[in-house]
Amino acid sequence: MLRRRRGPLLVAAAAGAALAAASTVSSYGDGRGAPSALHGVARSSRAVYTIGFVVVDYKYSLRGLAPGSADYRNKRSKVHLRSAKKLLKLCEANGGFYVKAGQFVSSLRQVPKEYSSTLSCLQDQATPCNFQDIKIVIEQKFGKDLHSIFLEFDEHPIAAASIAQVHRGRLYNNQEVAVKVQYPGLEQRMKLDIMTMSILSKSVSWIFPDYRFEKILIEFERTMSMELDFIQEARNSERTASCFRKNNVVKIPRVFWELTSKEVLTMEFCSGYKIDNLDSLRKAGISPTKVAKALIELFGEMIFIHGFVHGDPHPGNILVSPQGQGRFSLVLLDHGIYKELDQKFRLDYCQLWKALILLDSQKILKLGEQFGVGKYAKYFPVIFIGRTIESKSVLGTQMSSEEKKRLKQDLNSLRMDDISSFMESLPPDFLTILRTDGLLRSILGNLGVPRHVRLLAYAKCAIYGLEEQSKSESGPINHMYLQVKANIVYLRLRILIEVAGLLVQVNDLRHKIMSKFRRMLQEITRDFVIL
């Protein structure tokens, strides 16, 4: 009886979402009235239809199959891909926060690869808003005509995202600026979209109790609320600039507060290449490895030392600005999404990375208990350094074939409720860390740098993050001792990683020589047979 009742649930969800749309969108206050309400209903209905299709597809495509069987895994992968394509179409059709939600999901390392790879194309998608609407927002916020504020203002945006677009301008003192303007009516639209997503999330969780998305949805809503407040973004920008004031490589654009409001942010204009634009980097004589090292050290310091983390480091938000003779600065943009890490979490995370580098499995499992993930702590090495917890392979290398086989068997035995339980048990700070680390690893992969670059940077920052805490708790007498101690521990970890990297290179060279030798033998044998 219960199973039969679940069918009409999506109809009820559709009706609820549509009513929410009608009541919420009509209060936008943008003068569009009924068309806006109808647009909101259409967006919600489209979402309900898509999710309904996905639920039915999962329900009936996997019916009767034994979880963990080869047939089950094969069909599940196909359903993942079909569903991801459906969600991509939904995000493209609805735009706005649905695009942001798609981007958010694609950057999570915990989602199936079919979703992350399919939805990743949303990172570069955005349709610019009509310039007249942008002009109205600026003039209403500052009570002046656009041309009395700016000497020059380019009508064509230099960048467009799902919630705002950026225009290049020039002030009357000849200062070049980048003006980020929020699309009108977004705050009310966000309330509607989050409401619809919440209704659908609860509906899916009721049909599939093993699928629980509450934590991810709450985190998404939190990040969206932050992104819509440009005053907070400006404060985040200045705080980050203060953290890195002694770092000559990091550049944070200056904020012009007199031309900044909740919906408009005016910053110093900074030029540069997208960080993963290899052709431009090489033409400028800039080493991609040095860029990667600077990037991962920047974020390592944010995470392990300052505990104040930029939550959206995709390539469009990080520019490489050439400074001549192969030198460069990293320009960090878009400071809307930040996470201030809990102090205890930050220190535990430092300890976790120290344990990961030293291959201390007991410490990893103990920290897993402190993080509240229990038995799932054994997957930390897989998530962060690409090894199993009992691995004997060289640090920084790919897993051995046998290790991959064992891990595959282990993962295949996991049910959806295991993955869901793991996600639910993670501290909120972990979601930000995992998302940020996933985006950074993608950039490092595009730059083609060795794995040990990231390991070294994180090892260094984790050690100094722990020692910074010790310094603050000790008197000036122990300050120098703690500095020396931190340097010795880091040197030990560096030797460990560098030796591992050298062994990898030797092993690769051995394989190349053996392959070449085999080809020579084959050619000699072939020539001998012909004779």
Side-chain angles (χ1 to χ4, degrees), residues 109-130:
R109 294 179 57 80
Q110 299 74 28
V111 301
K113 64 181 185 298
E114 293 86 355
Y115 283 91
S116 56
S117 59
T118 302
L119 297 175
S120 61
C121 65
L122 291 170
Q123 295 291 353
D124 299 318
Q125 286 197 7
T127 303
C129 185
N130 183 284

Side-chain angles (χ1 to χ4, degrees), residues 23-33 36-37 140 184-186 188-189:
S23 62
T24 306
V25 182
S26 62
S27 65
Y28 274 9
D30 59 2
R32 289 180 290 172
S36 291
Q140 284 182 346
L186 273 184
Q188 291 298 329
R189 203 174 306 156

